Amino acid sequence: VRILARRVELAARNAGQKGDGESVGLLREVQALLREAEPWVGQHLAVESMLISLLPGREQVVAKTGFYRALDAGLPQRAIPFLMAWLEGAVLKARDGHFDELHDLEAWIDHLIRVGSHGMPIVTAYSWLAKGAVLAYRQKLLDAASALHQARVWAADYRMFSPWYSATQLLCEVLLARGDLKETEVLLHEMDAHVTSHNLSSEHEVHWALWLMHRGKTAEAWKRLQKASQGSALAKALQGKPVDQDDAWLAISLRVLGVHPYPRIVSLHDQALYAENGYRHALSDQEMLYILALLQGPATAEELAERVYEDADKVQAVHTTMFRLRQKGVPGLLTRGRKYVLEGYRLDVVLRIEAARSLPYLLEDLGLDTVLCKDHPLYEHFRETLRAMAKALALEWVRRGVLLPNAHLIDPEDPHYLEALGRPEVAHPLEEGSRWH
């Protein structure tokens, strides 16, 4: 009883911890309690499952060992935390191209589903959730939807909110990837009702944003994404902001939705650079011009001066500005021989265009001209580059049988583009110099 009480105390502290220093102290206390709980198998497994949540990278050896020990002890309910930790590690390995762990895990999940069917609903609910996550990552979306439906049913029947909520959120992503907007809306309203009635914190704002994007309501969707990004890694990734690369559930969501996060972002909206750790490097107007010039490719000081000032003689100004940027600690700003290089950065507007490959209606009000409104040749260059990307994307969706709303507004003065969109009636007046609206 004393060990149980101590477990509850440490779990409460773990839920409310605020810093790495506190986490280190808590880890030591949990390790001490683990040694003390060794004579009691159930308590020892429970403390060990708490320990694994504190270890960096969800240690795979500890997860698998704890999982097997729980099954050997006839305590499958104690195996669940180890199963979920094993799942996270297996997904991250699969993301790096190693799928063996994921296949091994799936076989054990099927075994646990059979075990749980003999009167252990918590085991069954979490096992179906894990099964759905594995299938979703493997992009077997129809089977994933079926497994996640099972997880929701078992969790709802026995009033287990946590697995129900997790399964519902992932199911929303699977359904959106399959284009099923009607059922997604039903699930979103279910989550709204449950969160409101139980006065819980809502974590599915990002899923409303995804649904709105697919409905073509991009302005409202973007507002919801910005609001959700305070607590949602998926919302950050959809906006092109830096995210934790070791978040396995985020990796599943991004794979299902077909979105790829980039760790370094040049944000025109915020006039800043974002690095992998989320650190924001604010940029002056002049520094922003240099960064945009470098995004065009490596350049010597003379070439940068020509791009930024249209004057190759302003070499000293280039060196001074680059020195100031380096003083800010901007990672990826390097020299290679005589050339300056900006490694690994992407433009936020480009990311929004790329996101439209899976979320096509995001393109509707991209607003290229409002984002890049400054009067400088570099900005005009990027306007044309982004417009070309957006046009190529719109035509790609036309080939798939989807006409993006307002796709003609990307370039209403290009008759060949409009004809390719299926608007041949406007080609002739455009060729005569009349703008089509």
Side-chain angles (χ1 to χ4, degrees):
V1 171
R2 185 178 58 78
I3 290 173
L4 173 61
R6 181 78 171 132
R7 262 182 49 215
V8 172
E9 176 200 344
L10 292 173
R13 282 173 50 196
N14 184 29
Q17 67 176 315
K18 298 178 181 178
D20 291 338
E22 188 174 345
S23 179
V24 170
L26 193 62
L27 177 61
R28 293 195 185 112
E29 292 185 60
V30 172
Q31 288 171 329
L33 185 62
L34 183 66
R35 291 189 292 271
E36 193 175 342
E38 195 166 352
W40 297 276
V41 177
Q43 291 298 326
H44 187 268
L45 286 166
V47 177
E48 192 174 17
S49 67
M50 186 189 305
L51 176 66
I52 203 171
S53 70
L54 294 169
L55 290 170
R58 298 289 196 268
E59 296 289 344
Q60 284 290 283
V61 174
V62 179
K64 294 173 72 171
T65 301
F67 179 81
Y68 295 140
R69 191 184 300 123
L71 291 186
D72 290 343
L75 297 169
Q77 70 276 19
R78 294 295 190 198
I80 294 302
F82 299 104
L83 171 72
M84 304 312 284
W86 186 2
L87 169 66
E88 291 183 26
V91 165
L92 293 177
K93 284 188 175 181
R95 184 194 61 186
D96 296 333
H98 306 292
F99 280 82
D100 292 346
E101 196 77 48
L102 208 58
H103 293 311
D104 186 25
L105 173 65
E106 191 173 2
W108 279 105
I109 291 173
D110 290 335
H111 171 72
L112 211 55
I113 288 173
R114 292 191 293 270
V115 171
S117 65
H118 299 294
M120 294 185 177
I122 189 171
V123 173
T124 308
Y126 273 102
S127 297
W128 278 117
L129 170 59
K131 177 83 170 180
V134 170
L135 291 168
Y137 190 80
R138 292 177 60 196
Q139 296 185 310
K140 295 186 175 183
L141 299 184
L142 189 60
D143 293 337
S146 177
L148 292 168
H149 274 301
Q150 288 285 345
R152 277 168 38 81
V153 168
W154 280 91
D157 285 349
Y158 292 90
R159 298 184 180 182
M160 293 179 283
F161 175 71
S162 184
W164 179 87
Y165 197 39
S166 296
T168 305
Q169 290 180 80
L170 183 53
L171 181 56
C172 281
E173 295 161 19
V174 169
L175 292 173
L176 286 170
R178 295 181 58 214
D180 191 340
L181 302 186
K182 185 173 290 187
E183 188 174 352
T184 303
E185 184 181 14
V186 172
L187 296 180
L188 289 169
H189 284 300
E190 280 186 29
M191 287 191 287
D192 277 349
H194 205 105
V195 164
T196 302
S197 63
H198 291 78
N199 195 27
L200 299 167
S201 174
S202 175
E203 297 175 7
H204 62 276
E205 188 78 14
V206 63
H207 296 90
W208 271 115
L210 288 165
W211 181 78
L212 287 164
M213 286 179 187
H214 280 73
R215 289 292 304 275
K217 299 180 179 179
T218 51
E220 187 178 347
W222 203 251
K223 289 179 183 177
R224 289 223 185 198
L225 273 184
Q226 290 174 319
K227 179 181 176 182
S229 64
Q230 296 176 3
S232 168
L234 177 57
K236 290 178 181 177
L238 289 168
Q239 293 178 83
K241 294 181 179 178
V243 292
D244 179 2
Q245 298 297 316
D246 292 328
D247 185 334
W249 288 95
L250 174 63
I252 295 170
S253 296
L254 294 177
R255 185 171 171 85
V256 169
L257 295 167
V259 179
H260 304 283
Y262 294 91
R264 294 173 177 173
I265 308 298
V266 180
S267 175
L268 285 173
H269 303 282
D270 303 335
Q271 196 155 321
L273 289 175
Y274 290 94
E276 289 92 333
N277 57 6
Y279 186 76
R280 181 179 184 274
H281 302 270
L283 299 173
S284 66
D285 288 341
Q286 195 67 18
E287 288 169 337
M288 176 61 88
L289 285 175
Y290 273 82
I291 294 300
L292 289 178
L294 279 174
L295 284 178
Q296 294 184 41
T300 64
E302 291 84 355
E303 290 167 340
L304 274 178
E306 179 63 35
R307 290 178 192 175
V308 175
Y309 300 105
E310 299 183 292
D311 183 350
D313 292 332
K314 293 195 175 180
V315 173
Q316 188 55 48
V318 171
H319 290 308
T320 301
T321 304
M322 301 308 281
F323 174 78
R324 288 173 180 167
L325 281 169
R326 283 178 155 175
Q327 287 293 100
K328 287 188 173 186
V330 173
L333 183 57
L334 312 169
T335 54
R336 285 184 179 166
R338 297 177 57 243
K339 292 193 173 185
Y340 287 104
V341 181
L342 187 68
E343 286 190 339
Y345 280 91
R346 301 300 298 273
L347 198 62
D348 54 356
V349 183
V350 174
L351 289 168
R352 291 179 66 182
I353 292 175
E354 288 184 351
R357 292 183 184 276
S358 293
L359 310 172
Y361 300 108
L362 181 61
L363 190 60
E364 181 184 345
D365 63 349
L366 190 62
L368 300 182
D369 291 328
T370 59
V371 174
L372 295 168
C373 58
K374 297 186 179 180
D375 183 21
H376 191 282
L378 274 180
Y379 286 89
E380 182 57 34
H381 168 83
F382 272 98
R383 263 195 293 271
E384 292 308 310
T385 300
L386 294 170
R387 186 174 285 110
M389 291 181 64
K391 286 164 66 175
L393 179 64
L395 294 177
E396 178 184 320
W397 279 101
V398 167
R399 285 191 292 274
R400 298 182 188 184
V402 178
L403 180 61
L404 304 187
N406 294 335
H408 60 281
L409 297 179
I410 295 172
D411 192 348
E413 296 182 332
D414 182 345
H416 302 294
Y417 168 65
L418 295 171
E419 189 169 5
L421 287 179
R423 302 276 188 170
E425 72 277 8
V426 303
H428 181 66
L430 276 170
E431 287 170 354
E432 292 184 345
S434 299
R435 181 185 174 93
W436 177 63
H437 296 281

